């Protein structure tokens, strides 16, 4: 679905006013920030929302400031819901995607013999959680192979889906490359052939690709604020389908997630907020709302189109350099560009780039071990342009890598 979408986005229709986006981004003047898959530079409205609320807390008191922001806080649920095509009562606001994912995963009550299907590209924290329940409760993990393009193999998924499969969980876009897994096709298979729960990690896709839960067919998805959405750190969310809420009995409950109804009884909330806690980072939530509003105003199709164009330009430039190998897999690729340089370890490249004012990051084996081991990789440099980056910045990265390669060592 996304491949078709990306192929049909004509470059000329990518109507983003880059100059305006940069004028709104205080950090854009200081650094060539190509680490949006790590944490993006926030735009001014996000800063204003966070700082403004912190100041109000300091002036009138934290609870009082929250009361005053009640309507805006409620609006954040609607904004996030609109972003993914869900309803406000299907949204939980949490401190990061991992916590949200954990609450759903551990809330499914998996027991001995229950099977989990996942992808080779799975993120470390999810894989560790699977391994923990395999050790503690005897669940069985099946890591689906990739198809020849590197995406999760849909034929293998079709074959494996069956009676004991209780969960299918995978990343839409993995942490270690520009691959876009065919999440909607997975959803159609899961829904059509099993009653397994489908938990989708959209940490690296929300904010750079349009998402629509109806098309994706998942029961829950998790996202984070600080990456492609350009929100504050310490923010994340879960969309939990209304008709799947009762399938998730969160491993932790507090007095927001549940109500203490009698000396021996409690009622769990009927909506997604059963995944929340009473205390929260209120300023961050408002910042997340501002970030979602900002991304929505620019438009996710336009963002996806421009990110794809910049990433392709980067891949093309890097691939032409002698001794540089680009590693991104998949039929559809997005804004994460990964590469290695002969003789120069990825951390050395990243550090040297930072000294030249270019931010990138390093993905290492321990963040996605199944995938790194299969490909015989240990570390890769990960560069991730966003729509507010310029073609010149992309070219500056390529030029800096060329220069590093040429330097005598
Ligand atoms: C694919 C993927 N999933 C999950 C996570 C975890 O997200 P968070 O740090 O918000 O918990 C990351 C973080 O980099 C990621 O890249």
């Amino acid at each position: 679905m996304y491949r078709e979408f990306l192929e049909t986005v004509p470059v000329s229709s990518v109507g983003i006013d880059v100059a305006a986006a940069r004028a709104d981004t205080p950090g854009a003047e200081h650094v060539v920030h190509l680490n949006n898959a790590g944490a993006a530079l926030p735009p001014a409205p996000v800063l204003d929302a966070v700082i403004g609320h912190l100041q109000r807390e300091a002036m009138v008191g934290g609870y009082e400031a929250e009361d005053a922001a009640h309507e805006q806080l409620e609006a954040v649920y609607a904004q996030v819901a609109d972003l993914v095509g869900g309803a406000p009562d299907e949204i939980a606001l949490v401190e990061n995607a991992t916590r949200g994912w954990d609450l759903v995963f551990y809330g499914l009550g998996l027991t001995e013999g229950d099977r989990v299907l996942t992808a080779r590209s799975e993120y470390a924290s999810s894989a560790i959680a699977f391994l923990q329940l395999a050790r503690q409760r005897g669940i069985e993990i099946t890591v689906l192979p990739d198809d020849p393009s590197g995406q999760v193999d849909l034929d293998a998924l079709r074959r494996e889906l069956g009676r004991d499969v209780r969960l299918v969980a995978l990343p839409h876009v993995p942490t270690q490359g520009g691959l876009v897994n065919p999440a909607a096709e997975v959803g159609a298979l899961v829904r059509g052939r099993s009653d397994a729960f489908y938990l989708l990690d959209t940490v690296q896709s929300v904010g750079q690709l349009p998402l629509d839960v109806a098309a994706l067919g998942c029961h829950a998805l998790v996202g984070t604020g600080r990456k492609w959405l350009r929100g504050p750190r310490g923010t994340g969310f879960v969309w939990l389908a209304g008709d799947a809420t009762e399938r998730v009995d969160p491993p932790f409950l507090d007095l927001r997630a549940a109500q203490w109804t009698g000396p021996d009884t409690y009622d769990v909330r009927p909506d997604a907020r059963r995944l929340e806690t009473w205390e929260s980072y209120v300023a961050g939530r408002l910042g997340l709302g501002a970030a979602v509003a900002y991304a929505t105003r620019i438009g996710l199709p336009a963002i996806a189109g421009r990110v794809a164009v910049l990433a392709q330009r980067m891949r093309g430039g890097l691939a032409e350099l002698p001794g540089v190998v680009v590693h991104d897999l998949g039929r559809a690729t997005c804004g994460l560009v990964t590469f290695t340089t002969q003789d120069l370890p990825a951390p050395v490249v990243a550090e040297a780039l930072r000294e030249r004012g270019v931010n990138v990051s390093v993905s290492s084996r321990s963040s996605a071990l199944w995938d790194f081991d299969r490909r015989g990789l240990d570390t890769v440099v990960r560069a991730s342009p966003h729509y507010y980056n310029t073609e010149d910045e992309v070219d500056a990265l390529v030029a800096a890598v060329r220069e590093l390669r040429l330097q005598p060592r």
Side-chain angles (χ1 to χ4, degrees), residues 37-38 95-101 121-126 171-176 201-205 222-227 233-236 336 382:
E95 57 267 50
N96 54 58
T98 302
R99 262 306 157 265
W101 189 98
S121 53
E122 187 56 285
Y123 187 63
S125 301
S126 309
H172 189 192
V173 171
T175 197
Q176 70 283 9
D201 168 352
T202 65
V203 167
Q204 292 291 1
S205 56
V222 298
T224 205
R226 73 185 180 283
K227 297 180 187 289
R233 296 199 63 175
T235 61
L336 290 82
R382 184 183 70 180

Side-chain angles (χ1 to χ4, degrees), residues 132-202:
Q132 186 190 33
L133 284 202
R135 187 183 284 178
Q136 287 182 348
R137 299 192 202 156
I139 69 164
E140 289 173 23
I141 310 160
T142 300
V143 182
L144 297 168
D146 298 339
D147 74 9
S149 79
Q151 299 179 349
V152 67
D153 188 330
L154 294 171
D155 289 333
L157 172 66
R158 195 177 288 113
R159 280 194 303 275
E160 293 290 347
L161 275 171
R163 220 166 14 94
D164 296 333
V165 176
R166 292 278 315 282
L167 172 67
V168 176
L170 74 163
H172 189 192
V173 171
T175 197
Q176 70 283 9
L179 163 76
V180 184
N181 270 316
E185 289 81 345
V186 169
L189 280 173
V190 173
R191 297 259 181 178
R193 292 178 165 249
S194 72
D195 56 7
F197 194 97
Y198 178 25
L199 172 56
L200 186 64
D201 168 352
T202 65

Side-chain angles (χ1 to χ4, degrees), residues 12 15 39 79 106 121 126 135 141 176 186 189 195 205 219 224 260 263 274 277 315 321 324 344 349 362-363 383 388:
S12 58
Q79 287 165 319
Y106 290 97
S121 53
S126 309
R135 187 183 284 178
I141 310 160
Q176 70 283 9
V186 169
L189 280 173
D195 56 7
S205 56
H219 296 96
T224 205
W260 197 7
R274 61 174 51 195
T277 45
R315 284 189 195 99
L321 301 180
V324 174
L344 280 176
V349 175
V362 172
S363 286
Y388 63 83

